[in-house]
Amino acid sequence: MAQKPSIPKGTRDFSPAEMARRNYIFDTIRSVFHLFGYHQIETPSMENLSTLMGKYGEEGDKLLFKILNSGNFLAGVDPNLLNEETFLKLTPQIAEKGLRYDLTVPFARFVVQHRNEIQMPFRRFQIQPVWRADRPQKGRYREFYQCDADVVGSDSLLNEVELLQLIDEVFRRLKIRIAIKLNNRKVLAGIAELIGAPDKMIDITVAIDKIDKIGIEKVNEELSERGLSDESIAALQPILQIDGTVAERLARLEELLRDIPTGALGVQELREVTEQTLALGLDAELDLDVSLARGLNYYTGTIIEVKALDFAIGSITGGGRYDNLTGVFGMPGLSGVGISFGADRIYDVLNGLNLYPEQLGAASQVMFVNFGPTEAAASLKAVKQLRAAGISCELYPDLAKMKKQMAYANAAAIPYVAIIGESEAAAGTLTLKNMAEGTQATLTVAEAIAAIKG
Amino acid sequence: MAQKPSIPKGTRDFSPAEMARRNYIFDTIRSVFHLFGYHQIETPSMENLSTLMGKYGEEGDKLLFKILNSGNFLAGVDPNLLNEETFLKLTPQIAEKGLRYDLTVPFARFVVQHRNEIQMPFRRFQIQPVWRADRPQKGRYREFYQCDADVVGSDSLLNEVELLQLIDEVFRRLKIRIAIKLNNRKVLAGIAELIGAPDKMIDITVAIDKIDKIGIEKVNEELSERGLSDESIAALQPILQIDGTVAERLARLEELLRDIPTGALGVQELREVTEQTLALGLDAELDLDVSLARGLNYYTGTIIEVKALDFAIGSITGGGRYDNLTGVFGMPGLSGVGISFGADRIYDVLNGLNLYPEQLGAASQVMFVNFGPTEAAASLKAVKQLRAAGISCELYPDLAKMKKQMAYANAAAIPYVAIIGESEAAAGTLTLKNMAEGTQATLTVAEAIAAIKG
């Protein structure tokens, strides 16, 4: 039965060192969520496929992990479906449940299902894994965590201001320098209308999103290929040339979109959000970017994206405002705004810039050497006292050679080693060795506690 | 498309109030694991079915949630298997992965897969959900958390002593009074040998486990039905009548099993573990219970079970020593000992005894009332100062009636409400209302911070 064990591709084991780093990220985000008054919820890993299917487009449906029904899953199934050609039709008959694909659809389902228990506006956060049957590649996994915060039941732009403050605080604590890019879906709609191509908003956005990479000329070529008239492309040029400070960009956009009500409203929203945010102060850079268009089918107002300034990687946080989160579950008109932190990319940034606090990995602050039964009994008494003082520690359980025990302490990055040999046991003391400095001293337990804590 | 949404049976949503209670339990257990020098790992939710199948018995295999292969799962499948009668043979062809059933098998797989990166003895803990396609009933879920700590690569009984201290500390912090019951698999084997029925150990254990419920006579009847001879049953009686203190029970067992080497070794191990544990001191009651037999096919030495003293519920924590965790993955002879906290039952005990700390549920300590744009801007400045002082707070985002805003604060159990109206905004002050006491005072932000923290 012996076999070399492995894990499914696209999934990961996390070692103690990796867990320490991941917990540092999750704990930071969780603390800030709490500080901003968000309430945590959790939803089941499995949802009914009827909840998940059709919410992520045709491609998304394919990427859902589906769970085979328990027992005889073929009982009662139409025998005509049991062949390769009809597997898509067979699927819902043999699999009723699937693993969640994101935290947004389960949140929408939660809000509708528990609408009578929830107090609006509802500030919720959720930190849980999601699963996607994507082709695994560098930085893309089949199981990964999302960290989402949303406020629903309020259309006040103060929520946007608060979420920008929250993003700023998370990255300030993580010591990652960021730029927060803002846009507004209504501005995008206004631009499309302005240039006489109201049905081409997505084409325009996809094209102008590439302006930094390919330049204006290529963007204009692509717009032409996508069916925009020469007049529309010409009318778009002043938009593409907007630059300067946030205030200058706002003023120029306001001028250009003055006569397009939707666009003007979008600019007004951007103005309110940015002015209030800047008045409160922000460590992050704040940029307006009319090419920003994430989740276009979904967002209806503010669009937010965060980039790390000192590390080349995609967006590390994003979000926006939506007007109809729960409509598909029979509860229309619920407005909200939310953001999602990309824990795996943040992990890559912290690794790349080496921004973790020191000594993140050690479980124990002190390891007691094991010299035999009598000394071990004395050590366990000291261990208990140290733990009562809040110091994590352990006794090496086996009577191994000193060298082996010290090698263990070294490998585990334990900062102190305590020795209770025959003389220490008799005197009621211990010898405390500082592993980094190579110094040691014989101390009472109380003195040792003071030395380790100080 | 509107439909009343629901979740799969046997799964749960956790509301903010429930999350606060669950986090209290998980945080307590996690802190104590850290204090005792255990290192956290995480493994993927999905494992290859080849890793999981055959590890939990035939019944366990049926309870595994299996994940349908992505894409056309019927491509290349033997058409003869595509019918109701052969669904069991079809399963491995259309499902290669399954959700983990416990944390022990993934841990064994982890140890073997990462054997070259792990420092032995390896003290690991793991807090993650597991999934079982069990029939849902009260207190039994299809998705639930396990909280496991194990030491592998050491056969020292000091590990047992440490784990008993750890159990004691967790329940001391949770304020749950407990009894820890101990037994040893070698004692059970010794008893079976002593009474001339070495092949009947499991029958004996299953029967005598019921002694408290059905009494000695019924137990003897059952033993007879299970094929034990009258002589064996007679020889068992002195064992069943053992009582008294831990020391008295140990002395009596020692006497009875003196000539059975395995049994005598088991008693010796129990003696070492209990004497050292009692020497260190324990809040919990410590009992010897020769009828204790959990996981008999698996454990080879110490067996541990924890019962709540003040609440009727099954075992809330259990564990034991094993000698061959990783043999099935090609790495024989690895000894270890571990325990598992049953978070859901602990949750029930804390609820039943109302042992949660006060104010566990509130996300925010302070809610600022919203009186309009100018006051809201002043409030957000104060909010920022409070948060910088570590006080979680929020501004009500909408310009709603005062009554509605206060109702929200009440429902969310927020202990303080802060008011910055026209006069406070002008004076740079705020009015702080203590919701429990009904008192209020007009303060500077610095004074408010001091009042809330004090």
Side-chain angles (χ1 to χ4, degrees):
Chain A
M1 285 291 293
Q3 47 190 325
K4 171 112 174 66
S6 64
I7 52 178
K9 64 179 176 176
T11 71
R12 293 166 287 174
D13 281 330
F14 295 108
S15 72
E18 288 163 332
M19 280 307 299
R21 293 181 163 212
R22 289 171 65 80
N23 284 336
Y24 169 68
I25 297 169
F26 291 128
D27 290 347
T28 301
I29 294 172
R30 190 183 298 113
S31 306
V32 177
F33 284 165
H34 276 299
L35 193 62
F36 278 67
Y38 286 80
H39 295 268
Q40 189 173 13
I41 68 161
E42 283 187 4
T43 61
S45 301
M46 307 171 182
E47 295 276 352
N48 293 320
L49 277 176
S50 58
T51 299
L52 301 176
M53 295 285 282
K55 310 301 189 298
Y56 308 105
E58 209 174 311
E59 195 52 33
D61 283 351
K62 285 189 200 153
L63 299 184
L64 290 170
F65 279 111
K66 298 164 190 88
I67 294 165
L68 202 55
N69 292 346
S70 301
N72 191 340
F73 52 89
L74 288 184
V77 165
D78 178 355
N80 294 320
L81 294 180
L82 293 175
N83 62 74
E84 276 191 46
E85 284 68 42
T86 53
F87 83 97
L88 271 180
K89 282 190 181 154
L90 177 62
T91 306
Q93 301 216 15
I94 65 172
E96 284 169 3
K97 295 181 287 289
L99 295 177
R100 70 174 161 254
Y101 177 91
D102 70 1
L103 301 180
T104 303
V105 168
F107 174 51
R109 194 265 311 144
F110 180 99
V111 169
V112 176
Q113 195 174 330
H114 302 279
R115 59 201 294 176
N116 296 326
E117 306 139 44
I118 290 172
Q119 190 75 9
M120 298 287 180
F122 183 42
R123 301 156 83 87
R124 92 85 169 77
F125 82 86
Q126 190 168 354
I127 301 180
Q128 291 194 276
V130 301
W131 295 268
R132 296 182 187 178
D134 244 326
R135 187 181 301 275
Q137 57 184 58
K138 188 169 155 37
R140 188 198 285 167
Y141 304 101
R142 292 185 150 188
E143 175 177 40
F144 59 97
Y145 269 76
Q146 291 192 333
C147 311
D148 285 19
D150 290 79
V151 192
V152 296
S154 164
D155 54 14
S156 165
L157 294 174
L158 290 172
N159 296 304
E160 273 89 335
V161 175
E162 280 278 79
L163 285 171
L164 295 177
Q165 291 281 326
L166 188 156
I167 290 170
D168 193 51
E169 181 64 17
V170 165
F171 290 106
R172 197 187 62 75
R173 292 186 181 203
L174 294 174
K175 301 185 172 45
I176 298 176
R177 298 198 318 126
I178 55 161
I180 303 177
K181 295 182 173 193
L182 290 182
N183 197 7
N184 191 299
R185 160 73 185 253
K186 299 186 185 89
V187 168
L188 290 170
I191 291 172
E193 206 181 322
L194 175 73
I195 66 172
D199 56 332
K200 293 279 184 193
M201 184 176 68
I202 292 175
D203 289 294
I204 297 167
T205 318
V206 168
I208 67 177
D209 188 34
K210 300 177 187 161
I211 198 162
D212 286 343
K213 282 185 208 142
I214 62 175
I216 277 195
E217 264 180 58
K218 292 268 182 197
V219 166
N220 288 339
E221 275 173 33
E222 184 171 332
L223 287 167
S224 185
E225 280 161 25
R226 286 174 177 269
L228 265 85
S229 68
D230 290 350
E231 294 72 29
S232 290
I233 294 172
L236 184 64
Q237 299 311 301
I239 304 276
L240 298 183
Q241 281 151 19
I242 291 177
D243 63 1
T245 65
V246 168
E248 285 163 0
R249 284 169 194 244
L250 274 173
R252 186 77 180 109
L253 266 180
E254 212 153 52
E255 191 186 324
L256 287 166
L257 293 172
R258 176 178 314 172
D259 299 325
I260 314 284
T262 305
L265 179 57
V267 179
Q268 179 55 28
E269 289 182 6
L270 275 177
R271 177 177 290 284
E272 272 188 56
V273 170
T274 51
E275 285 184 352
Q276 294 199 55
T277 300
L278 292 170
L280 285 167
L282 210 61
D283 280 21
E285 278 182 19
L286 196 64
D287 295 335
L288 287 195
D289 183 349
V290 292
S291 71
L292 183 63
R294 43 181 303 133
L296 203 60
N297 299 318
Y298 178 65
Y299 294 132
T300 52
T302 307
I303 303 171
I304 303 168
E305 191 168 272
V306 178
K307 299 275 290 181
L309 289 178
D310 304 316
F311 193 80
I313 199 165
S315 135
I316 54 179
T317 291
R321 176 169 287 280
Y322 39 82
D323 276 342
N324 196 12
L325 178 70
T326 52
V328 70
F329 296 120
M331 186 176 167
L334 189 72
S335 182
V337 54
I339 53 169
S340 183
F341 288 88
D344 287 292
R345 284 190 176 165
I346 292 172
Y347 182 83
D348 288 344
V349 173
L350 289 172
N351 276 331
L353 298 176
N354 197 20
L355 290 177
Y356 290 102
E358 280 180 38
Q359 294 245 335
L360 208 50
S364 286
Q365 291 173 268
V366 188
M367 185 200 79
F368 282 72
V369 178
N370 188 332
F371 286 109
T374 315
E375 294 85 351
S379 293
L380 280 183
K381 286 207 176 92
V383 161
K384 187 162 184 167
Q385 290 173 273
L386 262 62
R387 286 181 186 148
I391 296 168
S392 58
C393 50
E394 64 189 271
L395 166 66
Y396 193 90
D398 302 290
L399 186 48
K401 286 195 176 127
M402 179 81 168
K403 194 176 160 189
K404 188 175 174 188
Q405 298 191 40
M406 294 304 281
Y408 168 90
N410 254 324
I414 297 174
Y416 292 95
V417 165
I419 294 169
I420 299 189
E422 207 178 330
S423 60
E424 287 94 345
T429 58
L430 59 82
T431 298
L432 188 70
K433 193 176 163 79
N434 182 321
M435 297 290 278
E437 297 176 7
T439 54
Q440 63 178 57
T442 299
L443 306 168
T444 65
V445 172
E447 288 166 347
I449 290 170
I452 294 159
K453 289 195 146 185
Chain B
M1 284 293 292
Q3 47 190 326
K4 169 112 177 68
S6 64
I7 52 177
K9 62 179 178 178
T11 69
R12 293 166 288 174
D13 281 329
F14 295 109
S15 71
E18 289 163 331
M19 282 308 299
R21 294 180 163 212
R22 289 172 66 81
N23 283 336
Y24 169 68
I25 297 169
F26 290 127
D27 290 347
T28 301
I29 294 172
R30 189 182 299 114
S31 306
V32 177
F33 284 164
H34 276 298
L35 193 62
F36 279 67
Y38 286 79
H39 296 268
Q40 187 172 15
I41 67 162
E42 283 188 2
T43 61
S45 300
M46 307 172 182
E47 294 275 353
N48 293 321
L49 276 175
S50 58
T51 298
L52 302 176
M53 295 287 282
K55 309 303 189 296
Y56 308 105
E58 209 174 309
E59 195 52 34
D61 284 352
K62 285 187 199 155
L63 300 185
L64 291 170
F65 279 110
K66 296 162 191 88
I67 294 164
L68 201 55
N69 292 345
S70 301
N72 191 342
F73 53 89
L74 288 184
V77 165
D78 178 355
N80 295 320
L81 294 180
L82 292 175
N83 62 75
E84 276 191 45
E85 286 66 44
T86 52
F87 82 95
L88 272 180
K89 283 190 180 151
L90 176 63
T91 306
Q93 301 215 15
I94 64 172
E96 284 169 5
K97 296 181 288 289
L99 295 177
R100 71 175 158 251
Y101 178 91
D102 70 2
L103 302 179
T104 304
V105 167
F107 174 50
R109 193 265 312 144
F110 180 99
V111 168
V112 175
Q113 194 175 331
H114 302 280
R115 59 201 295 175
N116 296 326
E117 305 139 45
I118 290 172
Q119 189 75 8
M120 297 287 181
F122 182 43
R123 302 155 84 88
R124 93 83 169 77
F125 81 86
Q126 192 168 354
I127 300 181
Q128 290 193 278
V130 302
W131 295 268
R132 295 183 188 177
D134 244 326
R135 188 182 301 274
Q137 56 184 58
K138 188 173 155 36
R140 190 196 284 165
Y141 304 102
R142 292 186 150 189
E143 174 176 42
F144 59 97
Y145 269 77
Q146 291 192 332
C147 311
D148 284 19
D150 291 80
V151 192
V152 296
S154 165
D155 54 15
S156 165
L157 294 173
L158 291 172
N159 295 306
E160 272 89 335
V161 176
E162 282 276 80
L163 285 172
L164 295 178
Q165 292 281 325
L166 187 157
I167 290 170
D168 194 50
E169 179 66 17
V170 165
F171 289 106
R172 195 185 65 73
R173 291 185 181 203
L174 294 175
K175 301 186 172 45
I176 298 177
R177 297 196 320 125
I178 55 160
I180 304 177
K181 296 183 171 194
L182 290 182
N183 197 10
N184 191 299
R185 158 73 184 251
K186 299 187 184 86
V187 168
L188 289 170
I191 290 172
E193 204 181 325
L194 175 73
I195 65 171
D199 56 330
K200 293 279 186 192
M201 186 176 68
I202 290 173
D203 289 296
I204 298 167
T205 318
V206 169
I208 67 178
D209 187 34
K210 301 177 187 162
I211 198 161
D212 286 343
K213 280 185 210 144
I214 62 175
I216 278 195
E217 263 180 56
K218 293 269 181 196
V219 165
N220 288 340
E221 274 172 35
E222 183 170 333
L223 289 166
S224 183
E225 279 161 24
R226 286 175 177 269
L228 265 87
S229 68
D230 291 349
E231 294 72 28
S232 288
I233 294 172
L236 184 63
Q237 299 311 301
I239 303 276
L240 299 184
Q241 282 150 20
I242 290 176
D243 63 3
T245 64
V246 168
E248 286 163 359
R249 285 168 193 245
L250 273 174
R252 187 78 181 109
L253 266 181
E254 211 154 51
E255 192 186 323
L256 287 166
L257 293 172
R258 175 179 314 171
D259 299 325
I260 313 287
T262 305
L265 179 58
V267 179
Q268 178 55 29
E269 290 182 6
L270 274 177
R271 178 178 289 285
E272 274 188 54
V273 170
T274 52
E275 286 184 353
Q276 293 199 55
T277 300
L278 292 170
L280 284 167
L282 210 61
D283 280 19
E285 277 182 23
L286 197 64
D287 297 335
L288 287 194
D289 182 349
V290 292
S291 72
L292 183 63
R294 42 182 303 133
L296 203 60
N297 300 318
Y298 178 64
Y299 293 132
T300 54
T302 306
I303 302 170
I304 302 168
E305 191 168 274
V306 177
K307 299 275 288 180
L309 289 178
D310 304 317
F311 193 80
I313 200 166
S315 133
I316 53 178
T317 290
R321 177 168 287 281
Y322 41 82
D323 276 343
N324 196 13
L325 178 71
T326 51
V328 69
F329 296 119
M331 184 178 169
L334 188 72
S335 183
V337 54
I339 54 170
S340 184
F341 289 88
D344 287 293
R345 284 189 176 167
I346 292 172
Y347 181 82
D348 289 343
V349 174
L350 290 172
N351 276 331
L353 299 175
N354 197 18
L355 291 177
Y356 289 101
E358 280 179 38
Q359 296 242 338
L360 209 50
S364 285
Q365 292 172 267
V366 188
M367 184 200 82
F368 282 71
V369 177
N370 189 332
F371 286 108
T374 316
E375 295 85 352
S379 294
L380 280 182
K381 287 207 175 90
V383 160
K384 187 162 185 169
Q385 289 172 275
L386 263 63
R387 286 182 185 146
I391 297 168
S392 58
C393 50
E394 63 189 271
L395 166 66
Y396 193 90
D398 301 290
L399 186 49
K401 286 194 177 129
M402 179 80 170
K403 195 177 160 189
K404 187 175 176 190
Q405 299 191 40
M406 294 305 281
Y408 169 91
N410 255 322
I414 298 174
Y416 293 95
V417 166
I419 295 167
I420 299 188
E422 205 178 332
S423 59
E424 286 94 346
T429 58
L430 58 83
T431 298
L432 188 69
K433 193 178 165 74
N434 181 320
M435 296 291 276
E437 299 176 7
T439 54
Q440 64 178 56
T442 300
L443 306 168
T444 65
V445 172
E447 288 167 347
I449 290 170
I452 294 160
K453 290 196 146 182

